[in-house]
PDB file of all heavy atoms in Angstrom:
ATOM      1  N   LEU A 174     114.164 101.937  90.524  1.00  0.00           N
ATOM      2  CA  LEU A 174     113.708 102.758  91.664  1.00  0.00           C
ATOM      3  C   LEU A 174     114.923 103.126  92.561  1.00  0.00           C
ATOM      4  O   LEU A 174     115.678 102.185  92.920  1.00  0.00           O
ATOM      5  CB  LEU A 174     112.565 102.136  92.438  1.00  0.00           C
ATOM      6  CG  LEU A 174     111.352 101.700  91.536  1.00  0.00           C
ATOM      7  CD1 LEU A 174     110.379 100.948  92.428  1.00  0.00           C
ATOM      8  CD2 LEU A 174     110.741 102.878  90.763  1.00  0.00           C
ATOM      9  N   VAL A 175     115.040 104.259  93.080  1.00  0.00           N
ATOM     10  CA  VAL A 175     116.058 104.653  93.962  1.00  0.00           C
ATOM     11  C   VAL A 175     115.525 105.161  95.280  1.00  0.00           C
ATOM     12  O   VAL A 175     114.664 106.073  95.286  1.00  0.00           O
ATOM     13  CB  VAL A 175     116.975 105.721  93.325  1.00  0.00           C
ATOM     14  CG1 VAL A 175     118.144 106.030  94.165  1.00  0.00           C
ATOM     15  CG2 VAL A 175     117.417 105.310  91.932  1.00  0.00           C
ATOM     16  N   PHE A 176     116.147 104.762  96.500  1.00  0.00           N
ATOM     17  CA  PHE A 176     115.640 105.132  97.703  1.00  0.00           C
ATOM     18  C   PHE A 176     116.696 105.616  98.591  1.00  0.00           C
ATOM     19  O   PHE A 176     117.819 105.091  98.541  1.00  0.00           O
ATOM     20  CB  PHE A 176     114.954 103.916  98.437  1.00  0.00           C
ATOM     21  CG  PHE A 176     113.933 103.243  97.552  1.00  0.00           C
ATOM     22  CD1 PHE A 176     114.298 102.023  96.839  1.00  0.00           C
ATOM     23  CD2 PHE A 176     112.707 103.610  97.498  1.00  0.00           C
ATOM     24  CE1 PHE A 176     113.410 101.423  96.145  1.00  0.00           C
ATOM     25  CE2 PHE A 176     111.765 103.014  96.773  1.00  0.00           C
ATOM     26  CZ  PHE A 176     112.067 101.802  96.056  1.00  0.00           C
ATOM     27  N   GLU A 177     116.450 106.721  99.340  1.00  0.00           N
ATOM     28  CA  GLU A 177     117.406 107.147 100.355  1.00  0.00           C
ATOM     29  C   GLU A 177     117.196 106.220 101.615  1.00  0.00           C
ATOM     30  O   GLU A 177     116.054 106.015 102.119  1.00  0.00           O
ATOM     31  CB  GLU A 177     117.101 108.616 100.688  1.00  0.00           C
ATOM     32  CG  GLU A 177     118.200 109.167 101.661  1.00  0.00           C
ATOM     33  CD  GLU A 177     117.913 110.544 102.118  1.00  0.00           C
ATOM     34  OE1 GLU A 177     117.189 110.756 103.031  1.00  0.00           O
ATOM     35  OE2 GLU A 177     118.484 111.503 101.437  1.00  0.00           O
ATOM     36  N   ILE A 178     118.289 105.831 102.097  1.00  0.00           N
ATOM     37  CA  ILE A 178     118.274 104.913 103.302  1.00  0.00           C
ATOM     38  C   ILE A 178     119.069 105.476 104.410  1.00  0.00           C
ATOM     39  O   ILE A 178     120.077 106.065 104.319  1.00  0.00           O
ATOM     40  CB  ILE A 178     118.973 103.563 102.919  1.00  0.00           C
ATOM     41  CG1 ILE A 178     118.293 102.901 101.662  1.00  0.00           C
ATOM     42  CG2 ILE A 178     119.082 102.582 104.130  1.00  0.00           C
ATOM     43  CD1 ILE A 178     116.895 102.361 102.021  1.00  0.00           C
ATOM     44  N   LYS A 179     118.438 105.335 105.582  1.00  0.00           N
ATOM     45  CA  LYS A 179     119.160 105.638 106.915  1.00  0.00           C
ATOM     46  C   LYS A 179     118.499 105.059 108.057  1.00  0.00           C
ATOM     47  O   LYS A 179     117.164 104.790 107.904  1.00  0.00           O
ATOM     48  CB  LYS A 179     119.173 107.251 107.100  1.00  0.00           C
ATOM     49  CG  LYS A 179     117.812 107.877 107.142  1.00  0.00           C
ATOM     50  CD  LYS A 179     117.910 109.394 107.160  1.00  0.00           C
ATOM     51  CE  LYS A 179     116.524 110.031 107.178  1.00  0.00           C
ATOM     52  NZ  LYS A 179     116.431 111.181 106.364  1.00  0.00           N
ATOM     53  N   PRO A 180     119.096 104.659 109.112  1.00  0.00           N
ATOM     54  CA  PRO A 180     118.429 104.114 110.212  1.00  0.00           C
ATOM     55  C   PRO A 180     117.567 105.143 110.996  1.00  0.00           C
ATOM     56  O   PRO A 180     117.983 106.205 111.068  1.00  0.00           O
ATOM     57  CB  PRO A 180     119.556 103.554 111.100  1.00  0.00           C
ATOM     58  CG  PRO A 180     120.863 104.125 110.592  1.00  0.00           C
ATOM     59  CD  PRO A 180     120.560 104.713 109.240  1.00  0.00           C
ATOM     60  N   THR A 181     116.393 104.690 111.323  1.00  0.00           N
ATOM     61  CA  THR A 181     115.450 105.587 111.993  1.00  0.00           C
ATOM     62  C   THR A 181     114.815 104.881 113.298  1.00  0.00           C
ATOM     63  O   THR A 181     115.173 103.755 113.506  1.00  0.00           O
ATOM     64  CB  THR A 181     114.247 105.959 111.159  1.00  0.00           C
ATOM     65  OG1 THR A 181     113.365 104.835 110.941  1.00  0.00           O
ATOM     66  CG2 THR A 181     114.723 106.381 109.757  1.00  0.00           C
ATOM     67  N   GLY A 182     114.100 105.645 114.093  1.00  0.00           N
ATOM     68  CA  GLY A 182     113.503 105.107 115.189  1.00  0.00           C
ATOM     69  C   GLY A 182     112.638 103.798 114.846  1.00  0.00           C
ATOM     70  O   GLY A 182     112.352 103.544 113.656  1.00  0.00           O
ATOM     71  N   PHE A 183     112.328 103.134 115.802  1.00  0.00           N
ATOM     72  CA  PHE A 183     111.547 101.867 115.667  1.00  0.00           C
ATOM     73  C   PHE A 183     112.348 100.768 114.807  1.00  0.00           C
ATOM     74  O   PHE A 183     111.782  99.809 114.329  1.00  0.00           O
ATOM     75  CB  PHE A 183     110.153 102.001 115.009  1.00  0.00           C
ATOM     76  CG  PHE A 183     109.360 102.944 115.871  1.00  0.00           C
ATOM     77  CD1 PHE A 183     109.008 104.220 115.495  1.00  0.00           C
ATOM     78  CD2 PHE A 183     108.803 102.419 117.067  1.00  0.00           C
ATOM     79  CE1 PHE A 183     108.270 105.031 116.318  1.00  0.00           C
ATOM     80  CE2 PHE A 183     107.981 103.244 117.843  1.00  0.00           C
ATOM     81  CZ  PHE A 183     107.790 104.469 117.453  1.00  0.00           C
ATOM     82  N   GLY A 184     113.623 100.966 114.594  1.00  0.00           N
ATOM     83  CA  GLY A 184     114.435 100.027 113.811  1.00  0.00           C
ATOM     84  C   GLY A 184     114.156  99.980 112.384  1.00  0.00           C
ATOM     85  O   GLY A 184     114.498  99.017 111.700  1.00  0.00           O
ATOM     86  N   HIS A 185     113.590 101.044 111.885  1.00  0.00           N
ATOM     87  CA  HIS A 185     113.296 101.079 110.378  1.00  0.00           C
ATOM     88  C   HIS A 185     114.413 101.655 109.605  1.00  0.00           C
ATOM     89  O   HIS A 185     115.259 102.420 110.208  1.00  0.00           O
ATOM     90  CB  HIS A 185     111.978 101.860 110.095  1.00  0.00           C
ATOM     91  CG  HIS A 185     110.808 101.146 110.695  1.00  0.00           C
ATOM     92  ND1 HIS A 185     109.674 101.898 110.945  1.00  0.00           N
ATOM     93  CD2 HIS A 185     110.574  99.930 111.132  1.00  0.00           C
ATOM     94  CE1 HIS A 185     108.692 101.017 111.495  1.00  0.00           C
ATOM     95  NE2 HIS A 185     109.301  99.806 111.551  1.00  0.00           N
ATOM     96  N   MET A 186     114.487 101.371 108.330  1.00  0.00           N
ATOM     97  CA  MET A 186     115.503 101.901 107.369  1.00  0.00           C
ATOM     98  C   MET A 186     114.987 102.752 106.365  1.00  0.00           C
ATOM     99  O   MET A 186     115.733 103.141 105.346  1.00  0.00           O
ATOM    100  CB  MET A 186     116.281 100.751 106.783  1.00  0.00           C
ATOM    101  CG  MET A 186     117.029  99.737 107.801  1.00  0.00           C
ATOM    102  SD  MET A 186     118.267 100.486 108.693  1.00  0.00           S
ATOM    103  CE  MET A 186     119.482 100.832 107.458  1.00  0.00           C
ATOM    104  N   GLY A 187     113.719 103.061 106.310  1.00  0.00           N
ATOM    105  CA  GLY A 187     113.119 103.914 105.207  1.00  0.00           C
ATOM    106  C   GLY A 187     112.559 103.011 104.110  1.00  0.00           C
ATOM    107  O   GLY A 187     112.237 103.521 103.123  1.00  0.00           O
ATOM    108  N   LEU A 188     112.658 101.690 104.301  1.00  0.00           N
ATOM    109  CA  LEU A 188     112.150 100.830 103.206  1.00  0.00           C
ATOM    110  C   LEU A 188     111.741  99.479 103.858  1.00  0.00           C
ATOM    111  O   LEU A 188     112.473  99.019 104.812  1.00  0.00           O
ATOM    112  CB  LEU A 188     113.361 100.573 102.215  1.00  0.00           C
ATOM    113  CG  LEU A 188     113.007 100.206 100.764  1.00  0.00           C
ATOM    114  CD1 LEU A 188     112.290 101.325 100.099  1.00  0.00           C
ATOM    115  CD2 LEU A 188     114.324 100.028 100.053  1.00  0.00           C
ATOM    116  N   PHE A 189     110.629  98.814 103.366  1.00  0.00           N
ATOM    117  CA  PHE A 189     110.340  97.562 103.770  1.00  0.00           C
ATOM    118  C   PHE A 189     110.599  96.507 102.619  1.00  0.00           C
ATOM    119  O   PHE A 189     109.818  96.430 101.713  1.00  0.00           O
ATOM    120  CB  PHE A 189     108.833  97.495 104.219  1.00  0.00           C
ATOM    121  CG  PHE A 189     108.533  98.331 105.479  1.00  0.00           C
ATOM    122  CD1 PHE A 189     108.236  99.566 105.415  1.00  0.00           C
ATOM    123  CD2 PHE A 189     108.674  97.650 106.673  1.00  0.00           C
ATOM    124  CE1 PHE A 189     107.866 100.376 106.561  1.00  0.00           C
ATOM    125  CE2 PHE A 189     108.382  98.264 107.905  1.00  0.00           C
ATOM    126  CZ  PHE A 189     108.006  99.726 107.803  1.00  0.00           C
ATOM    127  N   PRO A 190     111.814  95.950 102.691  1.00  0.00           N
ATOM    128  CA  PRO A 190     112.162  95.159 101.447  1.00  0.00           C
ATOM    129  C   PRO A 190     111.363  94.029 101.105  1.00  0.00           C
ATOM    130  O   PRO A 190     111.384  93.493  99.987  1.00  0.00           O
ATOM    131  CB  PRO A 190     113.643  94.647 101.892  1.00  0.00           C
ATOM    132  CG  PRO A 190     114.010  95.289 103.147  1.00  0.00           C
ATOM    133  CD  PRO A 190     112.846  95.911 103.737  1.00  0.00           C
ATOM    134  N   GLU A 191     110.615  93.495 102.144  1.00  0.00           N
ATOM    135  CA  GLU A 191     109.599  92.382 101.821  1.00  0.00           C
ATOM    136  C   GLU A 191     108.593  92.802 100.798  1.00  0.00           C
ATOM    137  O   GLU A 191     107.907  91.934 100.264  1.00  0.00           O
ATOM    138  CB  GLU A 191     109.053  91.896 103.114  1.00  0.00           C
ATOM    139  CG  GLU A 191     108.148  92.779 103.862  1.00  0.00           C
ATOM    140  CD  GLU A 191     108.800  93.616 104.935  1.00  0.00           C
ATOM    141  OE1 GLU A 191     110.101  93.827 104.743  1.00  0.00           O
ATOM    142  OE2 GLU A 191     108.245  94.143 105.805  1.00  0.00           O
ATOM    143  N   GLN A 192     108.411  94.063 100.650  1.00  0.00           N
ATOM    144  CA  GLN A 192     107.448  94.641  99.666  1.00  0.00           C
ATOM    145  C   GLN A 192     107.932  94.726  98.211  1.00  0.00           C
ATOM    146  O   GLN A 192     107.297  94.995  97.312  1.00  0.00           O
ATOM    147  CB  GLN A 192     106.979  96.015 100.095  1.00  0.00           C
ATOM    148  CG  GLN A 192     106.223  96.069 101.369  1.00  0.00           C
ATOM    149  CD  GLN A 192     104.673  95.827 101.247  1.00  0.00           C
ATOM    150  OE1 GLN A 192     104.276  95.383 100.137  1.00  0.00           O
ATOM    151  NE2 GLN A 192     103.964  96.125 102.278  1.00  0.00           N
ATOM    152  N   ALA A 193     109.274  94.390  98.106  1.00  0.00           N
ATOM    153  CA  ALA A 193     109.879  94.684  96.783  1.00  0.00           C
ATOM    154  C   ALA A 193     109.214  94.114  95.605  1.00  0.00           C
ATOM    155  O   ALA A 193     108.941  94.753  94.500  1.00  0.00           O
ATOM    156  CB  ALA A 193     111.372  94.252  96.855  1.00  0.00           C
TER     157      ALA A 193
END
Side-chain angles (χ1 to χ4, degrees):
L174 307 178
V175 185
F176 308 98
E177 185 182 86
I178 299 295
K179 58 184 176 223
T181 71
F183 300 108
H185 295 159
M186 299 293 295
L188 206 61
F189 290 92
E191 64 272 22
Q192 295 271 15

